[in-house]
Amino acid sequence: MDTAYLIETVIKVVVLLLVFSALAGIGTYFERKILAFMQRRLGPMNVGPFGLLQVGADGIKLFTKEDIIPTHVVAPIFKIAPVITAATAFMAAAAIPFLPQFTIFGYTVHPIIADINVGILYVLGVMAVGLFGPMLGGMASANKFSLLSAARAAAVFISYEVVSGLAVLAPIMMVGSLSLVDFNEYQAGGIGSWIVWSQPVAFVLFWIAAFAETGRTPFHLIANDHEIIDGFGTEYSGMRWGLFFIGEYANMFFISFVIPLIFLGGFGDGSVLGAFALLGKMAFFFFFFLWTRAAWPDVRPDQLMWLCWKVLMPLAVINVVITGLVMMF
Amino acid sequence: MFEAIAFYLFAFLTIAMFYIVVTTSQALYALSALAAGMIFISAFFFILNADFLGAIQIIVYTGAVMALYAFGMMFFDTTREVKEKKGNKFIIVGMSALAAALVVAIFAAPMLSTNIVALYPSSADIGNTQEVGMVLFTKYLIPFELAAVMLLVAMVAGIVLAGKKMDNSITLEDDTNEKVLS
């Protein structure tokens, strides 16, 4: 293992951490502005031009707030739960190719931290570990609303993971590889070769599962304000609470990268245009998360489980079987 | 060198986590340490370049431990310590040391006598995932299919046992509401 590789990897890790923690903060600004736009309000306006500095104000508030550990909580678990959510979100990003490779000062940079053979499995698996954060936080909090939220987290987890795994299986069968870079190369031929045209069902199923994975609005039941206060976040204060949010928003950004990489051609042939196309697709999927939040009500936990196990999972299995038959004959 | 550092780091972490699982009387500690230990084990697969098995280890055991958490949530108040009856400490320590020594002996003996031959040696031109598939569908086909059938039997049995009144909604049942109201 040569030194250049080591330095390159460390730089990539630092850049990824900085960019996406900043983006997670700015993501909250986008969310407020877009929700305000859809609800005919102004949103943040007072801090800075168009309220742009609101992110900084929120950051200062979160960092300087007193870190309260309530008396009856299980302190070690309570303290580590937010770290799990934030850390696993960034760990999952290690296998995502964010941009096509480019050359800078005669040195070729691959904007992916570790091009492992099982990229897609690794990303989905480690993102799934992130749900331990809400669940541990809820169970350790010694608060009934938090415990309800922990139970819901467990229910959401075992419901959606089957769907996302089975949905992504059909594209994997077509590509014959688990690496996200191979997925991208398979679709490098332009819009006509995107997997979404041959796997529309898998695309929709995976997209729905992504909402459950990130806990966004139709499936926001883990921390539903109007039913269970803030769920797992009820007893948290300051930056520990903020870490949950960084994890959630980072997850939203990463899954918004993964969906286009699997189904919508990724960065295409690797040109500058392709790179911007990937960023554009990512922005659309991120916007769609916020759009859904403004437009849709939440479902109940039993409705989510009914949807995942009785509707989406059979659809995904049928999709896999049909894909297999078509590939065989 | 990195592999050695990673191996000893994760070996220490894994053993420490499973030690906590066995010794603690706090259900939440035990479950969290179990989850952490299971995930740390995947590091050994990654060190051995068995990427596929490592990722599968993470996915399978997060789901499995999540189900255990659900049981823990139902059976215990996870913020309190569970009162356990503790036996003789020396017997426990002695038995676990003996078991550990036995496991080491079982796995070390064939290696020491260099009596292991890879029936399906790994080749460089096919990936790790494909190799797992090839072994699974040739050498281990029958155990693999048997495990699948057993899981299916367990699932059908679970649905039959639990699903008798699945279509009735508990909240909408009339007599329950009357009981609560009266």
Side-chain angles (χ1 to χ4, degrees), chain A residues 149-188:
Chain A
S149 138
R152 287 178 177 196
V156 168
F157 180 89
I158 50 182
S159 308
Y160 90 82
E161 219 198 10
V162 179
V163 178
S164 69
L166 283 173
V168 86
L169 193 57
I172 289 173
M173 284 159 67
M174 288 175 60
V175 178
S177 165
L178 293 164
S179 166
L180 282 170
V181 178
D182 288 348
F183 266 86
N184 188 72
E185 275 163 16
Y186 182 87
Q187 310 171 75

Side-chain angles (χ1 to χ4, degrees), chain B residues 11 25 39 56 73 78-80 82 98 103 123 127 143 154 157 161-163 171:
Chain B
S25 59
I39 289 167
I56 291 296
M73 220 181 286
T78 43
T79 52
R80 305 270 174 279
V82 180
L98 197 68
V103 170
S123 56
L161 282 175
T171 45

Side-chain angles (χ1 to χ4, degrees), chain B residues 8-28:
Chain B
Y8 284 110
L9 175 70
F10 282 104
F12 172 76
L13 278 174
T14 313
I15 292 173
M17 285 302 142
F18 285 125
Y19 179 77
I20 295 174
V21 176
V22 178
T23 51
T24 182
S25 59
Q26 161 70 271
L28 202 51

Side-chain angles (χ1 to χ4, degrees), chain B residues 65-110:
Chain B
V65 178
M66 190 66 91
L68 262 185
Y69 271 109
F71 281 118
M73 220 181 286
M74 284 186 262
F75 292 144
F76 301 110
D77 178 357
T78 43
T79 52
R80 305 270 174 279
E81 289 202 352
V82 180
K83 272 177 195 156
E84 284 178 297
K85 203 179 129 197
K86 279 188 182 151
N88 190 337
K89 266 197 177 169
F90 294 103
I91 293 180
I92 296 170
V93 172
M95 292 298 267
S96 37
L98 197 68
L102 258 178
V103 170
V104 170
I106 288 168
F107 283 104

Side-chain angles (χ1 to χ4, degrees), chain B residues 10-149:
Chain B
F10 282 104
F12 172 76
L13 278 174
T14 313
I15 292 173
M17 285 302 142
F18 285 125
Y19 179 77
I20 295 174
V21 176
V22 178
T23 51
T24 182
S25 59
Q26 161 70 271
L28 202 51
Y29 287 168
L31 286 167
S32 311
L34 184 68
M38 287 298 182
I39 289 167
F40 287 147
I41 284 182
S42 73
F44 299 112
F45 290 113
F46 286 123
I47 291 170
L48 292 169
N49 288 327
D51 295 343
F52 181 73
L53 287 178
I56 291 296
Q57 170 87 17
I58 294 179
I59 293 174
V60 167
Y61 280 98
T62 41
V65 178
M66 190 66 91
L68 262 185
Y69 271 109
F71 281 118
M73 220 181 286
M74 284 186 262
F75 292 144
F76 301 110
D77 178 357
T78 43
T79 52
R80 305 270 174 279
E81 289 202 352
V82 180
K83 272 177 195 156
E84 284 178 297
K85 203 179 129 197
K86 279 188 182 151
N88 190 337
K89 266 197 177 169
F90 294 103
I91 293 180
I92 296 170
V93 172
M95 292 298 267
S96 37
L98 197 68
L102 258 178
V103 170
V104 170
I106 288 168
F107 283 104
M111 282 180 216
L112 282 178
S113 61
T114 59
N115 209 2
I116 291 182
V117 184
L119 286 175
Y120 296 86
S122 60
S123 56
D125 48 315
I126 52 169
N128 174 252
T129 317
Q130 284 88 339
E131 276 174 20
V132 172
M134 281 168 73
V135 175
L136 214 54
F137 285 100
T138 52
K139 189 182 174 190
Y140 296 108
L141 181 63
I142 291 175
F144 179 60
E145 293 296 329
L146 270 182
V149 170

